[in-house]
Amino acid sequence: MTDTHLPGGPGPGGDTPGGSSPRSIILDCDPGHDDAFAIMLAHGSPGIDLKAITTVAGNQTLEKVTRNARAVATICGITGVPIAAGAAAPLVRPLRVAADIHGASGMDGPVLPAPTVPLDPRHGVDVIIETVRSQPAGSITLVPTGPLTNIALAARLAPDIVGRVREVVLMGGGYGGGNVTAAAEFNILADPEAAHIVFGSPWPVTMVGLDVTHQALATPDIASRIADLGTAPAAFAVDLLEFFGRMYSATQGFAAPPVHDPCAVALVADPAVVTLRPAHVEIERTGTHTTGMTVTDFAGRGAVALDHRVGVGLNRDLFWDMMIAAIAAISAC
Ligand code: BDR
Ligand code: CA
């Protein structure tokens, strides 16, 4: 099968760039260093209209990642976008955090300001449901960059939203192996039951996994380009990369850190960033050594429908150009 840049998911709305309307998204995240980059790209990209930020326990506890999300919003001047806390634990399993990568705070490295942007009092899952219901059918794209707990809960609590969502474009999984175990990536391993619900629901699902995001390395030239912007958001981004890079070097031997989460946002903003292939993905939930694996079938073996889309390549130059332009745009606000 030929690799292809598949078009965006079904529903109205154009794909920028090219002059058409930006894509409306809800960013469901667990900040997290790379989640912070996802927030910055969602806020600063002309291809994205950020409708809400919801948080989920993952990289750290819900309290910590929610505080981090509000701190990022404060640094970046994000106002008027609801930020709401969602699920504090996975559907079935105990909470698993990633302090080895993100530190005790979930965003170690930079000095974080006391958040000045308010916390929306609603539950994050209610914000997802209410936002999807209040916007035109087929207009909202869900972009989860943490465990899929909130998204699964929303689908189960309000099945009517499943048909209203344009698509789910998630950072998680991978077909070439994991990063916590040999088989499993963190976001999927943290809540495989939720992932099973999300991949099994009748909305379009695109998986932007490690096969893509391990190409989004923040090499020293990238950090220099960001530093050269000379602004507070840029300095924050550089501080994030410094800590993230040290952790990835120490724990996984990376020469530069893979900045996973904004890859999913970038794909929504511009389909040219990620090469996609049709596939069917099943979530391993009972494996002795493979729990959390995203079992990816590109060939339709057993006559399964190729009903998902899976990222297989990244246009790295375009990705970093978009990311750096977004940080520059935020800085100008
Ligand atoms: C994913 O796990 C988290 O630690 C990152 O924020 C990213 O979402 C990568 O496996
Ligand atoms: Ca994340």
Side-chain angles (χ1 to χ4, degrees):
M1 188 172 300
T2 312
D3 289 3
T4 179
H5 294 291
L6 299 175
D15 294 326
T16 53
S20 46
S21 53
R23 292 274 300 270
S24 299
I25 75 165
I26 299 172
L27 182 61
D28 184 69
C29 55
D30 62 337
H33 296 68
D34 52 333
D35 300 83
F37 278 84
I39 293 171
M40 289 190 277
L41 183 58
H43 178 53
S45 169
I48 297 292
D49 178 11
L50 180 59
K51 295 293 189 191
I53 297 170
T54 53
T55 59
V56 62
N59 285 326
Q60 263 299 348
T61 63
L62 182 67
E63 181 188 359
K64 291 179 180 179
V65 301
T66 303
R67 187 189 181 284
N68 293 343
R70 294 174 62 214
V72 175
T74 300
I75 292 165
C76 297
I78 302 175
T79 57
V81 175
I83 301 177
L91 295 184
V92 177
R93 298 172 196 245
L95 178 62
R96 165 197 286 270
V97 299
D100 58 329
I101 296 290
H102 299 277
S105 72
M107 203 179 280
D108 278 11
V111 177
L112 299 178
T116 57
V117 296
L119 179 66
D120 191 296
R122 295 173 290 173
H123 193 284
V125 174
D126 288 330
V127 168
I128 293 171
I129 293 168
E130 289 169 20
T131 304
V132 172
R133 283 179 176 163
S134 68
Q135 296 295 314
S139 67
I140 293 286
T141 294
L142 304 180
V143 184
T145 62
L148 291 163
T149 320
N150 286 342
I151 309 299
L153 285 169
R156 284 293 195 253
L157 275 168
D160 59 288
I161 71 163
V162 172
R164 294 182 65 85
V165 166
R166 175 169 172 157
E167 58 177 332
V168 179
V169 179
L170 64 94
M171 189 282 130
Y175 56 87
N179 60 359
V180 180
T181 70
E185 180 278 333
F186 176 79
N187 289 340
I188 305 298
L189 181 63
D191 197 342
E193 286 73 25
H196 172 68
I197 290 170
V198 171
F199 277 88
S201 294
W203 46 22
V205 176
T206 297
M207 178 173 90
V208 179
L210 298 175
D211 321 282
V212 171
T213 67
H214 279 176
Q215 299 173 42
L217 301 177
T219 46
D221 59 306
I222 297 296
S224 293
R225 285 173 62 192
I226 298 172
D228 286 348
L229 295 173
T231 63
F236 169 65
V238 169
D239 287 348
L240 287 172
L241 291 178
E242 197 278 325
F243 183 88
F244 204 41
R246 271 195 287 121
M247 294 304 105
Y248 260 102
S249 171
T251 62
Q252 297 183 37
F254 277 73
V259 185
H260 308 276
D261 292 339
C263 294
V265 178
L267 168 60
V268 176
D270 184 348
V273 179
V274 176
T275 304
L276 301 173
R277 286 181 61 185
H280 179 75
V281 179
E282 289 286 345
I283 308 300
E284 178 59 82
R285 287 155 290 143
T286 57
T288 304
H289 304 291
T290 55
T291 296
M293 183 177 185
T294 44
V295 181
T296 305
D297 185 350
F298 289 108
R301 299 175 187 88
V304 297
L306 301 182
D307 50 356
H308 302 122
R309 302 188 305 168
V310 171
V312 298
L314 179 75
N315 183 333
R316 181 177 182 273
D317 289 346
L318 177 58
F319 168 74
W320 282 115
D321 285 350
M322 290 172 69
M323 190 68 243
I324 293 166
I327 297 172
I330 291 167
S331 306
C333 290

